[in-house]
Amino acid sequence: MAELEGLEFGKSDFVLLDEVTMEQFMENLKLRFGKGRIYTYIGEVVVSVNPYRQMDIYGKDSIEAYRGRELHENPPHLYAVSDAAYKDMKRRAKDTCIVISGESGAGKTEASKYIMQYIAAITDPSQRTEVESVKNVLLKSNCVLEAFGNAKTNRNDNSSRFGKYMDINFNFNGDPTGGHINNYLLEKVRTSYKDRSNHKAVMSALEVIGFSTEEINSVYQVLASILLLGNIEFERNGESVQIIGLEAVTHIAELTATDPESICKSLLYRTVATGGGDVIKKGHTKEDAWFGRDAFAKALYERLFGWIVSRINSIIEVKDYNPLLHGKNTVIGVLDIYGFEIFDNNSFEQFCINYCNEKLQQLFIELILLQEQREYQREGITWQHIDYFNNNIIVDLMEQPHKGIISILDEACLTVGRVTDTVCLESMNTKLSQHPHYTSRKLNPTDKSMDFQKHFRVRHYAGDVTYSVEGFLDKNKDLLFQDFKRLMYNSANPVLKDMWPDGKLSITEVTKRPLTAASLFKNSIVALVDKLGCKEPYYVRCIKPNEMKSSVLFDDARCQHQVAYLGLLENVMVRRAGFAYRQPYARFLQRYKMTCEYTWPNHLMASDRDAVEAIVNQHGFQDDVAYGLTKLFVRAPQCLFTLEQERADLIPILVLFLQKVWRGALARRRCRRMRAAFAIMGFYKLYKVKSHFWAVAASFANVRTMADYGRNVEWPRPPAVLFRFHHITKTWWARQVVKNIPPSDMLEVRAKVAALTVLIGKRKDWGPSRAWERDYLSNSSSSFIRMSKDLKNKDEYSQVLFSCLCRKVNRFNKSTDRGLLVTDKYVYKLEPKKQYKVLKRFPLDSITGISVTAGTDQMVALHVSSQDDILLHLHRGELFPDQDRVGELLGVMVDHFTRSV
């Protein structure tokens, strides 16, 4: 069954109606149309209501939603039946067909185009050039055939005036490889409908299909000739007839590549072969000339249309196909044929169209019943007889040999002498007077809706149709004189010559009377039915909602009439005979297993059938079902609704559960992947480290014997994890040099290294090249030595870090001579003029920073935590006036603080 839509949209499958009545059927159809649901199922049949508006249900997203899905998994749609036909063809290697039926204006042509587009969209995913070319030709052929074969009627702006059956050939991969088009009964009277807006599309389509420029020009030349034929007029000249003015004849001769004289002779005379073999020319009467002109114009159009179809076939037909090499060639057929027609004035064309629909209805009922019977037999279910209207009696009325209407028409056309339409009607009245589906005014004098000697009525399955016999015989005969055929065959235009192969015969060689139009049409329809009968059929039944082409109006009476003559109610009854719903056990179980504790999430029973039986028994439906070999058959739709409602209630709970389980699974998978990644990273890092160590060992194998201890040896590039270790390792050679430095010089070396660390690139000259004395005051003043000893005993410091004379600058820019003493505990400001008396003392760890300039001056700012900063200018010394002591002070203090941390 179709994926159930909300109850506000009605039943998505008419099989699920509570009661199979016309009232409920129409109520459901009207509700769905009003809600914008134009498609509804009857089992596997799609009922389509023309929406008379563009609908956003045919895009790429919709195609993907139905692609590869089962028929009833999604809401009803043309794409669903198209996909089902394609899958059936591909899986079972069996030919299928899609039969689209309905009256004029019901949307059959649009449906066929959507089906073609869907099949084109789902095939050839690899976009191979040759397959894409076939698809383009198949799609573009619709545009061309509509342009030449459709017309505007009172009931439809784009009515198909011909029947079209297209076979699409597929290879074993399911890709289209070609096709073939059959056309049926082109109604030539109404195909001069013009539409300038589509002209460019038609021209483009002709080029895409493969028509050459010369062929396209020939098409327009024939069309122009047909229009010019309408300008030719005749007049009597004594006992003969002549053409009024020859300008149109001259133009026609140029367009058809013939000579004007031959055209005039064909229009004015008829060549006849006598019994003795003599050939004579017989002049036309004025009426015959008019009739011959019109017949010639119609024949030109008919031959042109037939040539276009054959030309398309020559391009798209499969050539040189070898089943042994390429696998079996399968086919999907698409039939888009005129629907049942009931007009105010119904003529020969409507009779043929309605005969075609009777044959298709006969096939539809037979195949639907046959499908049901076969399915019941396959599943071992007892078949129940179904009462339905069998239209065989109507088909026999129209086609039965010697007794049917077509036979009576043919007999009248073959009769020697002047047989009129009225005489033919009298013959039908005589032979068919007892037939329950035939009547006329003569047989029913009280029925004043028909005229004497003019009308007869056939009670079709779609309703009563009154036909006017006027023109029946003329339209049934092949009244195109052989002169016109020979004229066109002898044209210098090869395209035009190709359209008239029967003009090759001379007048003496034409001995067999050609078949009548009705017989030709009957034979083609019989062949079509035979062709459809050997394929697996799918059906699209189209309904026209109103005569106003309105997207909101639903004419109940009009629609009910169509439902009746399409036999849709009988179709529902066939599907509902005994069991309204059937489903394979696996699919039924998959959909409803969550409603039973014994089947969720997976059953442990012997078979799916046993699991389905458990579901049925738990819900108490065992008396409303039957178990086939592979399917469950459900008698009442209410059982299904109960299961659907319970399923709908459970789905939100299951969704939350599945989300929880899935999120946990994702988290565990992510965790496993992270662990694996870390393990891989660990092993890889270990490998890189080892590789680096091996490379270093190889590079520095002999550095101990080198004078510079390998300072100039290039180091291998380390992995990122060893950058810091690599930086430390590179100082190995420096350590070898440092080992030779005397311990007494190590303090100076450390201080210089510390100064280098903080001043490199910041101060040009900071005194690294000279010896740093540190305690300059002890080397120049004995009084400082005595004072420092007393101060050391008093403050208990261990070592003098730095001392020298300086000038202190205060906030008022006044400077005075002072002495600076820095120990490992305190910083002292001394008065050199008073035996280096201590003026100020503060702890060394109270210094928060030191600021110096980038120049060569000796300015130093000591920043103290008490914010009582000290600004000093260090003395350079008397012996070396260019001596820089700023770097020494900075290096000593940085080294001290670094080692004390």
Side-chain angles (χ1 to χ4, degrees), residues 106-125:
K108 301 184 300 301
T109 300
E110 288 300 309
S112 69
K113 288 194 287 189
Y114 286 130
I115 290 171
M116 294 285 294
Q117 290 170 4
Y118 179 82
I119 293 175
I122 65 172
T123 54
D124 189 32

Side-chain angles (χ1 to χ4, degrees), residues 209-212 215 306-316:
I209 290 172
F211 283 76
S212 66
E215 289 173 332
W307 176 83
I308 290 174
V309 172
S310 64
R311 183 72 181 91
I312 295 174
N313 285 336
S314 69
I315 296 171
I316 63 176

Side-chain angles (χ1 to χ4, degrees), residues 143-164:
C143 176
V144 174
L145 295 178
E146 279 188 35
F148 288 91
N150 288 20
K152 183 173 182 177
T153 68
N154 292 331
R155 306 176 70 182
N156 187 3
D157 286 343
N158 191 34
S159 177
S160 297
R161 306 320 302 163
F162 72 105
K164 180 183 70 176

Side-chain angles (χ1 to χ4, degrees), residues 417-460:
R418 188 71 176 175
V419 180
T420 63
D421 296 321
T422 303
V423 172
C424 181
L425 177 60
E426 288 297 325
S427 178
M428 286 193 289
N429 290 336
T430 302
K431 295 182 178 181
L432 302 174
S433 60
Q434 302 301 316
H435 200 286
H437 287 266
Y438 174 88
T439 187
S440 66
R441 183 67 185 273
K442 181 178 180 180
L443 299 179
N444 188 9
T446 59
D447 188 351
K448 296 183 180 180
S449 62
M450 295 183 288
D451 293 339
F452 286 105
Q453 299 183 343
K454 181 178 180 180
H455 292 135
F456 70 93
R457 181 176 296 155
V458 175
R459 185 177 301 167
H460 289 282

